[in-house]
Amino acid sequence: MHRMNQMADELVESSGPLLVTLPGVYAPQCDTWLLMAALDRENIGPGTAVLDIGTGSGALAVRAAQLGGEVTAVDIARRAVATARLNAILHRRRITVRRSDLTSAVRAHSYDLVLCNPPYVPAPAAGVPGHGASRAWDGGADGRSVVDRVCAGAPAVLRRGGVLLMVHSGLCDPGATLKRLGLVGLEATVSHRVRIPLGPVLLSRTRWLRERHLLENEETTEELVVIRAERT
């Protein structure tokens, strides 16, 4: 955990002023920093077209713009759209921010790099919330309600040679993600892994997660993974 916190501190410091997060908008956390570390390993420069799906605070969009990318960021939540626009202004970066359910507003475009930190936390409710802060993390009973939609839609917005980077919990089956991406023609691997202590949301669902055999009885951590998928 110390190593993960150190990574987070370094990334925040290197990205400039701290990000503003309006109430109800997902604040950057360990999954954000892990995906940002993966982003930093990609070859981004002037002319690289980047799409950030479910941008939240706009942290990843700002980082991609700092690296030279031409960035479009989308989110279904109005407050997230406002927050991302505000942070783009504060960081003096030109970022196109649109309100969109995943890629619905950008289907006419294609990108070199697609970033996504989707809702992925398994939840007792079968569907995903239609409003409220939990919309940023609740991913349905198996955590895959939005993850599977991203897998299915990624090829339509990726250019040939383009890359999808998506972070999610090991609780929602990285193997299933790799399989789904392979079925739609993408070459997918797990590029980053890290274990972190269970956060407040998972701690509040510990009993339910153990009843579903998603957590072992004595388990107090979860694994985060970054899936890297390339359209060849």
Side-chain angles (χ1 to χ4, degrees), residues 52 58 65 106 117 127 130 137 170 172 180 199 208 219 230:
D52 182 19
V106 293
N117 184 356
W137 58 77
C172 54
R180 283 182 174 270
W208 178 80
E219 195 170 4
E230 185 172 352

Side-chain angles (χ1 to χ4, degrees), residues 12 16-23 25-28 55-59 62 79-91:
V12 172
L18 291 175
L19 295 162
V20 173
T21 306
L22 297 180
V25 176
Y26 186 74
T55 191
S57 67
V62 168
R79 286 191 181 187
V81 170
T83 301
R85 286 174 176 165
L86 177 58
N87 283 317
I89 292 169
L90 292 175
H91 285 260

Side-chain angles (χ1 to χ4, degrees), residues 205-218:
R205 298 174 185 172
T206 298
R207 181 175 178 179
W208 178 80
L209 290 167
R210 287 174 178 161
E211 289 174 351
R212 289 178 53 84
H213 306 291
L214 294 173
L215 274 181
E216 300 295 333
N217 287 336
E218 303 302 323

Side-chain angles (χ1 to χ4, degrees), residues 139-218:
D142 59 2
R144 299 194 57 86
S145 293
V146 179
V147 171
D148 286 344
R149 292 180 60 204
V150 174
C151 291
V157 291
L158 277 176
R159 295 173 180 172
R160 190 162 298 279
V163 170
L164 166 71
L165 294 175
M166 177 167 58
V167 63
H168 67 65
S169 173
L171 297 179
C172 54
D173 195 352
T177 302
L178 297 178
K179 182 177 180 179
R180 283 182 174 270
L181 290 168
L183 290 173
V184 296
L186 303 183
E187 292 187 1
T189 60
V190 174
S191 66
H192 292 67
R193 297 178 184 267
V194 68
R195 294 203 72 88
I196 62 170
L198 298 177
V201 175
L202 288 177
L203 284 173
S204 71
R205 298 174 185 172
T206 298
R207 181 175 178 179
W208 178 80
L209 290 167
R210 287 174 178 161
E211 289 174 351
R212 289 178 53 84
H213 306 291
L214 294 173
L215 274 181
E216 300 295 333
N217 287 336
E218 303 302 323

Side-chain angles (χ1 to χ4, degrees), residues 121-138:
V121 177
V128 294
H131 55 82
S134 62
R135 180 165 57 174
W137 58 77
D138 277 357

